Amino acid sequence: MKPLILISWAFFYLLVYKVYFGHPKYSQLNKYIRLALLFIFLSCPFFVKGQVGFPYCESFSEGDTRSTTVFGGSAKLVDGALRLTEAVTDQNGYVYIDVPFSSVYGIKASFEYFMYGGTGADGLSVFLFDADTQDFRPGGFGGSLGYAQKDNNPGLTGAYLGLGFDAFGNFGNSGENKRGGFLGGSTSLFPNSIVLRRGGNGLNGYDFVNGRITYNPPPGNANIALDVQYQFPLSSGGFGTGRVEDINQPGYRKVLLELEPHPSGVGYLVKLEMVVTTIQNEPRTITIIPGTAFTYEAPRNLKIGFAASTGGETNIHEIKNLLLEVSNEAGLVNPQGVDFSDITSCEGQENQYLIIDEEITLPNENSEIRCLQFYASLEDIDAETDDICTQGKCQEENRVLEIPQGTFKAGTNGGDYTFFPNEGFTDQSVTVYYTITDTYGKSSAGNAITLKIQESPEPVEIYVEGSPEIIEEVNLCGGESVVLASKGGEPYIRYEWYRDGILIQGASAEKYLADVEGEYLVKAYNRQNCPAISNSIRISFPEFPEFDYDSPVIGCTADQAVDITLHIAGYDPLLYDYKLSGEGLIFLDDEMKEIFTPGLYELQIKHAGLDCYSSPTPLEIVILEEEFLADFDFEIQGTGVKGEEDGGFFPDDIFQFIDSSSEDAQSWSWDFGDGVTSTEKNPTHVYGEKGDFDVVLTISNEWGCISTMEKKVSILRSYRLMFPTGFTPLDENNKYFIPKSKGLISGQLLIFNLWGDLIFETDDLSSPGWDGTLEGRLLDAGIYVYRYNAVAIDGEKVTKAGKFKLIR
């Protein structure tokens, strides 16, 4: 069966053919018009497709692969082979051929594989999976060989069949969450085994079906191994060995896998043979699995792939010379073509045609036209090679046929082709021959195509009515329409209008009223029924552009206009028109750059040149009524000291900062100029050193408006030292002589009489001072001398001296 979309288009083609060309007026044209609707098909991208079906040949030896070969993991081309892994630990690689193959007639697959150069692990797998699988993912690697599940890693998506060539021995056991295996599902290793597993889904399925050990079976298990005379190791050699490609050299391995349709009609009989060379010049074909029932319903189409992996042990794993064929070749029948005669072709243009499945015979189930090939004579068809890989594809030399009258070219959509007549052959006929190759590589015997070359009409063009210039695109608002008019250089007997490559039913006049979006063109047919194809005009109903904008828009400066255009993302007055409405005002495009009035507005947008605006969306404009200003003051906490005039600032003073900004400030950010910050409204701060510090206050309000104020704090002194001019030892409130100090780390007080005798000394900063006594006796009132030696917190040395009175 065809995919639904192909059925739909074939039905459309036949409907147009029957309704339009079945009319008596055009009965004489029926023979040659029926192919001319290829334009419809070529305009639809879903008809583009690659190879489908059998046979499929991929050598992997030409330094490149077809685009249908999908690589994953460590897979790559190396020296003329597909290398899945290097002889490195913990590698995995896979490929799959992104070409569907019908499952109806079974499958034969052959390929050479090479395992060598390592310590013997893990192995490789060949697998078949549902061609409709959209998200391909390999299965678990290591012992699962990229096919089966492994612990919590799901198996291959869409899996139908997996065949593992297992050098290390894990693919044939039930370890790592696999289901079934040799000896009822033993977890033991079974090296050198070939194991067949069925499909599965996620962590379920992938069950063991059958298998054989090919070399050195475990003692007592000869029943699951090949007979001794047929045994061989899966690897061709260990560390340091190379690839063996010569069938006559020991180490050569070739797989012959056949899925023969099961007599019951469900599944297959799986047969596996291998060509193996263990003795020089003595290749042998060994039967591994003679015919195991694999009675699981196959998907409609399958795809093939390969995977390999290494673990703690290693090997190079490679594939070469893949060939896929139909198993039940005898069940296939060659397709049958028909002779086409009196088809019209028009001189000076490329004429497009389509042979649809309904016009020829495709006897094989689930088959399509795979390709056309052209020949100058039937003898050329008979001379074709019997090579199966050549039969299975359209050969490039047969896709194009050049003859004196013109050039035939096979298309990419199965039955499509073109003919470009050369000049000078008007009113002549030309006959060539073609074959059809179907999905299974079966080809028809050869049939004739006869075309009559007619004179091409003068060019035709379409205009928008009322416009003298050719326009490539017309943009309309919803509900609008435009008249398209056809103009040419000769009389035309009929017109066909197309939208997006599809014939518009009933549109056969010189003009057409277009009110639906699409790409329009017209074909104008002259008296010889040759079409002149016009230019195309795009009719669009563009959606209103999506655009972002800020709301509310804030004017942070009182009585100053705001620029709304700065708040519209991607503002572009060349492409779009903008309209702002509100407060009884309307502003268009760049008029929105100066808005003085706050309030609630609505913003709209449209494409430049159109008259329809988008639906209005709300936009609020806020402009501050009063100036938003930051300001602050500062003093020494609790002292009222604000500067040098009050005694100055000292490093260990506690500065109190007082905010005096606008009342609507909601956040404060202080930078004290020494790397310290604060977000309090009225913070305190101690600098701890002399210097000039630039204090910056930044405020913001509820609208995000920002204002900044900067002031300097100058700490010029590192200490303070003040001495009294006298003291009264007999008064409890003024009993001691001691200086007031700040910012000192040490200090020594010396008291002398007028004759220079030392009468008191202390270096204790916490000392109460001199109480006026000497050896416990209060001295007489009079004049005394002090000297003070100190060190400030910044290391400055301080020395002061003076006189004071002792008052009694």
Side-chain angles (χ1 to χ4, degrees):
M1 296 178 63
K2 300 287 181 225
L4 180 58
I5 195 162
L6 293 178
I7 295 175
S8 301
W9 277 98
F11 175 78
F12 172 78
Y13 165 80
L14 293 174
L15 180 64
V16 174
Y17 170 74
K18 182 175 181 180
V19 172
Y20 194 89
F21 297 113
H23 192 282
K25 179 179 179 180
Y26 300 114
S27 60
Q28 72 273 20
L29 305 177
N30 286 351
K31 295 180 181 179
Y32 47 85
I33 298 292
R34 56 185 176 181
L35 302 180
L37 294 179
L38 176 62
F39 177 83
I40 299 172
F41 293 83
L42 294 179
S43 302
C44 302
F46 43 74
F47 279 94
V48 178
K49 59 187 178 182
Q51 176 177 333
V52 176
F54 301 94
Y56 183 89
C57 306
E58 178 62 271
S59 68
F60 300 111
S61 63
E62 298 177 359
D64 196 5
T65 63
R66 305 184 188 187
S67 61
T68 51
T69 303
V70 180
F71 288 74
S74 59
K76 57 188 176 182
L77 294 177
V78 177
D79 297 331
L82 168 63
R83 181 168 295 179
L84 297 169
T85 72
E86 303 283 358
V88 178
T89 58
D90 298 318
Q91 277 213 319
N92 61 79
Y94 66 89
V95 300
Y96 67 92
I97 311 300
D98 196 17
V99 171
F101 306 101
S102 174
S103 62
V104 173
Y105 295 93
I107 298 170
K108 287 195 295 186
S110 65
F111 59 90
E112 297 171 313
Y113 80 74
F114 312 95
M115 291 188 198
Y116 64 95
T119 55
D122 273 304
L124 63 86
S125 65
V126 55
F127 50 80
L128 299 173
F129 64 99
D130 188 343
D132 290 336
T133 299
Q134 297 297 312
D135 185 14
F136 176 88
R137 294 187 306 276
F141 282 95
S144 296
L145 302 183
Y147 180 74
Q149 68 273 65
K150 179 181 181 182
D151 298 327
N152 293 322
N153 296 319
L156 178 82
T157 52
Y160 176 68
L161 176 151
L163 187 66
F165 298 80
D166 185 13
F168 191 71
N170 268 319
F171 195 66
N173 64 26
S174 60
E176 302 174 330
N177 202 35
K178 293 189 293 296
R179 299 181 61 159
F182 289 114
L183 306 182
S186 169
T187 58
S188 299
L189 293 176
F190 298 94
N192 289 295
S193 59
I194 299 177
V195 173
L196 175 66
R197 289 185 174 273
R198 62 170 294 189
N201 181 21
L203 298 175
N204 299 313
Y206 311 95
D207 302 53
F208 177 93
V209 176
N210 202 346
R212 285 290 183 272
I213 297 175
T214 67
Y215 191 66
N216 286 342
N221 292 291
N223 60 316
I224 60 175
L226 297 176
D227 291 342
V228 173
Q229 66 269 30
Y230 300 120
Q231 290 183 9
F232 64 94
L234 293 180
S235 297
S236 62
F239 182 76
T241 58
R243 182 193 307 162
V244 179
E245 300 182 75
D246 186 345
I247 191 173
N248 292 308
Q249 295 301 316
Y252 178 81
R253 306 285 185 265
K254 182 175 182 178
V255 175
L256 307 171
L257 173 64
E258 182 171 5
L259 277 63
E260 180 183 307
H262 195 279
S264 69
V266 178
Y268 302 100
L269 292 175
V270 178
K271 301 178 181 179
L272 176 64
E273 296 180 332
M274 286 184 63
V275 178
V276 177
T277 305
T278 54
I279 300 174
Q280 188 168 0
N281 296 322
E282 296 185 14
R284 298 179 293 165
T285 299
I286 299 173
T287 299
I288 312 295
I289 300 176
T292 290
F294 196 83
T295 54
Y296 307 105
E297 186 173 357
R300 179 174 177 270
N301 290 302
L302 293 165
K303 294 179 182 178
I304 192 169
F306 299 88
S309 53
T310 65
E313 305 296 329
T314 65
N315 251 336
I316 294 172
H317 297 94
E318 296 174 332
I319 300 292
K320 192 172 182 179
N321 293 328
L322 170 64
L323 171 61
L324 294 179
E325 306 173 68
V326 174
S327 171
N328 184 17
E329 180 73 20
L332 296 175
V333 179
N334 288 329
Q336 297 178 12
V338 295
D339 292 338
F340 294 101
S341 61
D342 295 331
I343 301 173
T344 297
S345 64
C346 302
E347 188 182 52
Q349 60 181 274
E350 189 170 59
N351 300 267
Q352 298 173 329
Y353 307 96
L354 178 69
I355 300 175
I356 62 174
D357 296 355
E358 288 73 13
E359 292 178 306
I360 47 90
T361 301
L362 294 171
N364 300 316
E365 185 178 347
N366 195 22
S367 182
E368 301 175 11
I369 297 177
R370 182 166 167 185
C371 64
L372 297 179
Q373 299 186 83
F374 290 104
Y375 306 86
S377 68
L378 289 174
E379 289 75 16
D380 292 340
I381 298 176
D382 295 336
E384 283 294 293
T385 175
D386 292 330
D387 178 71
I388 188 168
C389 288
T390 300
Q391 293 175 0
K393 64 180 181 180
C394 284
Q395 300 181 75
E396 288 300 322
E397 60 268 27
N398 295 331
R399 290 173 57 83
V400 177
L401 176 62
E402 295 183 359
I403 57 177
Q405 295 90 340
T407 301
F408 286 83
K409 289 184 180 180
T412 59
N413 299 303
D416 67 287
Y417 69 96
T418 64
F419 175 56
F420 194 104
N422 294 329
E423 293 184 1
F425 293 93
T426 301
D427 297 329
Q428 295 188 26
S429 294
V430 57
T431 298
V432 296
Y433 300 87
Y434 73 97
T435 62
I436 295 168
T437 301
D438 74 358
T439 303
Y440 302 96
K442 306 301 287 184
S443 296
S444 62
N447 294 89
I449 297 177
T450 300
L451 299 96
K452 185 174 183 179
I453 301 172
Q454 303 281 17
E455 181 181 0
S456 290
E458 294 294 325
V460 65
E461 296 173 329
I462 52 176
Y463 294 78
V464 173
E465 190 171 59
S467 174
E469 302 293 332
I470 295 178
I471 301 173
E472 293 183 356
E473 183 171 10
V474 178
N475 291 326
L476 301 176
C477 295
E480 294 183 345
S481 61
V482 65
V483 174
L484 303 179
S486 171
K487 297 179 181 180
E490 65 175 284
Y492 301 98
I493 61 172
R494 61 187 177 91
Y495 297 87
E496 292 177 351
W497 287 90
Y498 291 83
R499 180 176 60 248
D500 296 330
I502 300 174
L503 179 68
I504 302 172
Q505 293 296 316
S508 58
E510 186 178 359
K511 297 181 180 181
Y512 180 75
L513 179 70
D515 58 1
V516 177
E517 184 171 79
E519 191 95 9
Y520 289 82
L521 61 80
V522 68
K523 289 184 180 180
Y525 289 83
N526 64 5
R527 290 186 176 89
Q528 288 76 34
N529 204 48
C530 281
I533 302 175
S534 74
N535 56 299
S536 63
I537 293 182
R538 179 77 189 174
I539 305 298
S540 299
F541 293 83
E543 296 182 1
F544 294 110
E546 295 183 2
F547 67 108
D548 294 324
Y549 60 90
D550 300 326
S551 182
V553 174
I554 309 301
C556 293
T557 304
D559 300 324
Q560 183 171 317
V562 294
D563 184 349
I564 301 300
T565 66
L566 298 178
H567 298 269
I568 300 175
Y571 175 75
D572 188 344
L574 296 178
L575 290 179
Y576 308 112
D577 292 329
Y578 304 82
K579 181 167 69 173
L580 183 70
S581 307
E583 302 298 323
L585 303 170
I586 295 178
F587 302 92
L588 300 177
D589 297 330
D590 285 353
E591 294 175 355
M592 298 187 297
K593 291 182 178 290
E594 289 191 349
I595 307 296
F596 286 91
T597 305
L600 297 177
Y601 290 79
E602 291 180 334
L603 183 63
Q604 295 172 274
I605 188 173
K606 71 178 182 67
H607 291 275
L610 295 184
D611 296 328
C612 44
Y613 278 98
S614 63
S615 299
T617 55
L619 184 150
E620 183 180 3
I621 298 175
V622 176
I623 300 177
L624 300 187
E625 295 180 358
E626 297 181 359
E627 193 170 7
F628 184 61
L629 294 174
D631 199 7
F632 65 93
D633 203 352
F634 57 89
E635 63 180 29
I636 304 304
Q637 189 179 50
T639 67
V641 175
K642 296 186 175 183
E644 286 299 312
E645 65 277 7
D646 301 321
F649 303 137
F650 296 88
D652 56 350
D653 285 341
I654 300 175
F655 284 81
Q656 176 71 62
F657 293 91
I658 304 101
D659 173 62
S660 57
S661 305
S662 298
E663 292 183 358
D664 55 343
Q666 291 192 347
S667 67
W668 298 263
S669 176
W670 296 86
D671 183 340
F672 297 118
D674 62 348
V676 180
T677 61
S678 175
T679 57
E680 297 180 16
K681 182 178 181 180
N682 298 303
T684 60
H685 184 58
V686 176
Y687 284 95
E689 60 179 330
K690 292 191 297 183
D692 291 328
F693 302 94
D694 294 322
V695 181
V696 179
L697 169 62
T698 302
I699 62 171
S700 63
N701 63 10
E702 64 174 311
W703 304 112
C705 296
I706 293 174
S707 180
T708 299
M709 174 59 72
E710 178 179 327
K711 294 185 179 182
K712 188 181 294 292
V713 173
S714 297
I715 301 176
L716 305 178
R717 308 177 186 184
S718 61
Y719 68 94
R720 178 185 291 131
L721 187 60
M722 295 187 299
F723 286 87
T725 57
F727 76 116
T728 55
L730 298 178
D731 185 350
E732 285 296 327
N733 294 323
N734 192 22
K735 186 175 181 179
Y736 296 97
F737 177 82
I738 192 72
K740 290 183 178 181
S741 66
K742 193 172 188 179
L744 301 178
I745 60 174
S746 67
Q748 180 189 38
L749 175 63
L750 302 172
I751 306 295
F752 303 90
N753 58 25
L754 292 176
W755 292 276
D757 299 324
L758 179 64
I759 57 178
F760 178 79
E761 178 182 9
T762 182
D763 58 5
D764 184 0
L765 290 177
S766 62
S767 170
W770 182 45
D771 60 1
T773 65
L774 178 64
E775 295 178 352
R777 180 178 65 84
L778 182 63
L779 297 182
D780 295 334
I783 302 299
Y784 293 86
V785 177
Y786 70 85
R787 189 171 70 203
Y788 198 81
N789 302 314
V791 177
I793 58 175
D794 61 353
E796 181 182 352
K797 293 182 179 181
V798 180
T799 300
K800 282 189 177 289
K803 295 179 181 181
F804 65 96
K805 289 181 181 181
L806 188 156
I807 303 171
R808 296 184 61 177

